[in-house]
Amino acid sequence: MQNSEIETKAAFDHIRYAQLWEDADVLTQGLGDCAGGTLVSICSAGDNALAMLVLDPKKVIVVDLSPAQIACLQLRIGAFRTLTHPEFLELMGARPSRRRRELLLKALAGLDGDTQQFWQGLSEEVAQYGAGGVGKFERYFRIFRTRLLPFVHSRKTIDAIFVSRPKPERQVFLDTRFNTWRWRLLLSTFFSRFVMGRMGRDKAFFDHVDGSPAQHVARRIRHAAVTCDPAMNPYLHWIMKGDHGEALPMTWRAEHFEVIRSRLDRIEIRPGSLEAFVSTGEKADGFNLSDIFEYMSPEVFRDVYGQILNASAPGARLVYWNMMAPRRVPEDFRNRVETLSEVETELKAIDKAFFYSDFVVEQVRA
Ligand SMILES: C[S@@+](CC[C@H](N)C(=O)[O-])C[C@H]1O[C@@H](n2cnc3c(N)ncnc32)[C@H](O)[C@@H]1O
């Protein structure tokens, strides 16, 4: 089996992302019409692979290097099968709950022994934060919210972020109430390379990143707080308040619950790297590539991109994000791929997961 460059650098024995911090609404729109097709998705916490079922594909092949991340998808599959939608939201942490231990047991009941054991070991944390709150990334946000944010903003100011108001008023709120010197100091410290590397993301992930993470985050906060309506942003709500408000990520919304539940058997989990999948000779009609290219050096990215093209059916779309490292179709493959700039522009403007600097939709020429 082919190894991935990042496999040798970072540890994958624990949950890094307990929920998916990439907006499935823009992912699914970016993938276009995939009915009846074969899709491939990076797993991460599993939410976006499940969201792809809404596109009515024949199957969604899910890959991930990390068994812990695969266990996040397994738990969701168990939860969709056995829980009601309100129970699902409680278990995941979107809503407050006093019965998460019980819901966890119910969701785990039909799953394999390893997955059961893995999650039972986390049951205390699940009870406290919800299954969507137990990853390293969410822990990082929790430290931010509980230990640092209170020194910068009152609860009243935090609550005021989520009051719906017209765009010009959002700009005034950000400039006069939110973007204080304390806030700017907090951002530049917390999002320094050193702290992010230590607490949030593995240091290896910054090997190929340009510019300061804090500057980047400040730009994206303007997008989330002014360009878009923060009252409709579940990601911002979780970061600032520790759960979701009225707005939920696509996979967790009631309107998709039954459709996803009825198509769970179309999920095919293949633990291992994307590089392993693309060397099988199978072809896919669409790829959710998360932001994995950022974890690769430009040379490895070029090689892997070429392999993905070889594993793509004509017309297949490659959808992915960049956080800080620029990654787009490498020069060598420009003639084989069309960048769907209009789709990108339209979707970037509504992307609620605001940490990313770029959202890419590329289509393999027929
Ligand atoms: C790239 S990370 C980014 C997570 C993301 N931003 C989120 O919100 O969840 C997502 C997942 O990709 C996996 N991953 C990274 N490189 C991979 C590769 N080459 N093949 C398969 N999975 C990979 C990691 O294990 C991780 O679970």
Side-chain angles (χ1 to χ4, degrees):
M1 194 185 277
Q2 233 181 313
N3 287 336
S4 177
E5 184 192 33
I6 195 77
E7 267 179 292
T8 53
K9 292 190 181 175
F12 283 105
D13 52 344
H14 55 268
I15 298 177
R16 200 172 283 280
Y17 309 95
Q19 60 181 289
L20 233 144
W21 296 89
E22 290 157 8
D23 187 345
D25 285 303
V26 304
L27 166 69
T28 49
Q29 290 178 59
L31 284 166
D33 179 7
C34 300
T38 295
L39 299 176
V40 174
S41 179
I42 295 293
C43 184
S44 202
D47 298 307
N48 287 4
L50 293 169
M52 287 157 75
L53 292 174
V54 173
L55 300 172
D56 201 16
K58 184 169 76 184
K59 59 180 170 181
V60 179
I61 298 170
V62 188
V63 297
D64 207 292
L65 297 167
S66 157
Q69 295 302 144
I70 301 267
C72 293
L73 173 59
Q74 299 280 19
L75 175 66
R76 281 157 172 76
I77 292 176
F80 266 92
R81 281 201 186 120
T82 55
L83 304 183
T84 63
H85 179 252
E87 287 174 337
F88 174 81
L89 293 186
E90 283 184 46
L91 173 63
M92 298 313 293
R95 299 284 179 261
S97 179
R98 288 174 184 281
R99 50 173 185 161
R100 289 200 188 106
R101 274 193 201 81
E102 185 192 315
L103 296 174
L104 179 65
L105 286 178
K106 212 167 149 188
L108 290 177
L111 301 177
D112 66 276
D114 287 350
T115 304
Q116 294 196 2
Q117 210 182 347
F118 178 80
W119 280 103
Q120 270 153 10
L122 289 169
S123 104
E124 212 34 58
E125 278 183 76
V126 171
Q128 225 178 325
Y129 309 118
V134 301
K136 193 173 178 186
F137 204 57
E138 293 78 25
R139 193 152 58 240
Y140 179 56
F141 284 139
R142 193 150 52 241
I143 292 170
F144 172 79
R145 176 172 58 80
T146 58
R147 307 216 193 131
L148 302 173
L149 197 55
F151 292 104
V152 174
H153 282 309
S154 66
R155 176 170 280 208
K156 207 170 135 203
T157 305
I158 303 290
D159 287 345
I161 303 170
F162 300 98
V163 173
S164 217
R165 44 170 84 77
K167 206 166 176 174
E169 288 179 32
R170 301 207 283 266
Q171 179 77 55
V172 173
F173 178 83
L174 181 68
D175 291 341
T176 61
R177 274 189 73 189
F178 201 79
N179 199 12
T180 59
W181 68 267
R182 280 176 194 245
W183 171 252
R184 290 195 296 274
L185 181 67
L186 174 64
L187 274 194
S188 58
T189 317
F190 197 69
F191 290 101
S192 67
R193 267 163 203 269
F194 176 73
V195 177
M196 273 189 96
R198 287 284 298 269
M199 296 171 72
R201 309 186 85 195
D202 198 288
K203 275 225 273 303
F205 296 158
F206 282 100
D207 284 357
H208 309 292
V209 162
D210 299 321
S212 124
Q215 281 169 348
H216 166 73
V217 171
R219 275 194 304 274
R220 299 311 293 163
I221 284 177
R222 191 161 289 276
H223 166 84
V226 180
T227 314
C228 302
D229 182 356
M232 301 306 294
N233 192 325
Y235 309 100
L236 187 64
H237 197 283
W238 191 294
I239 295 167
M240 293 306 212
K241 293 177 63 83
D243 59 9
H244 288 137
E246 280 309 303
L248 291 164
M250 177 176 169
T251 316
W252 298 19
R253 291 203 293 266
E255 73 220 59
H256 300 303
F257 194 73
E258 282 308 321
V259 172
I260 293 175
R261 188 211 290 266
S262 67
R263 296 178 181 166
L264 289 173
D265 58 346
R266 301 189 202 176
I267 294 274
E268 192 181 316
I269 299 174
R270 302 215 197 150
S273 67
L274 175 79
E275 291 87 322
F277 167 78
V278 294
S279 59
T280 59
E282 293 162 87
K283 303 266 183 201
D285 302 290
F287 290 84
N288 162 27
L289 298 165
S290 176
D291 60 353
I292 64 161
F293 292 144
E294 281 199 60
Y295 297 47
M296 301 172 188
S297 61
E299 297 72 31
V300 172
F301 165 53
R302 194 189 52 235
D303 290 350
V304 173
Y305 195 99
Q307 291 164 28
I308 294 172
L309 290 187
N310 294 338
S312 296
R317 289 189 186 180
L318 278 54
V319 180
Y320 54 97
W321 281 265
N322 295 324
M323 186 147 111
M324 283 166 275
R327 294 283 182 272
R328 279 178 169 272
V329 53
E331 191 66 48
D332 302 4
F333 304 115
R334 292 242 169 99
N335 58 347
R336 292 175 65 186
V337 163
E338 183 189 354
T339 299
L340 303 185
S341 310
E342 276 179 29
V343 177
E344 287 178 357
T345 308
E346 189 189 318
L347 295 175
K348 262 188 245 183
I350 56 167
D351 192 340
K352 299 182 285 302
F354 54 93
F355 344 90
Y356 305 96
S357 58
D358 206 1
F359 174 67
V360 184
V361 184
E362 288 159 348
Q363 185 156 34
V364 178
R365 290 184 198 279

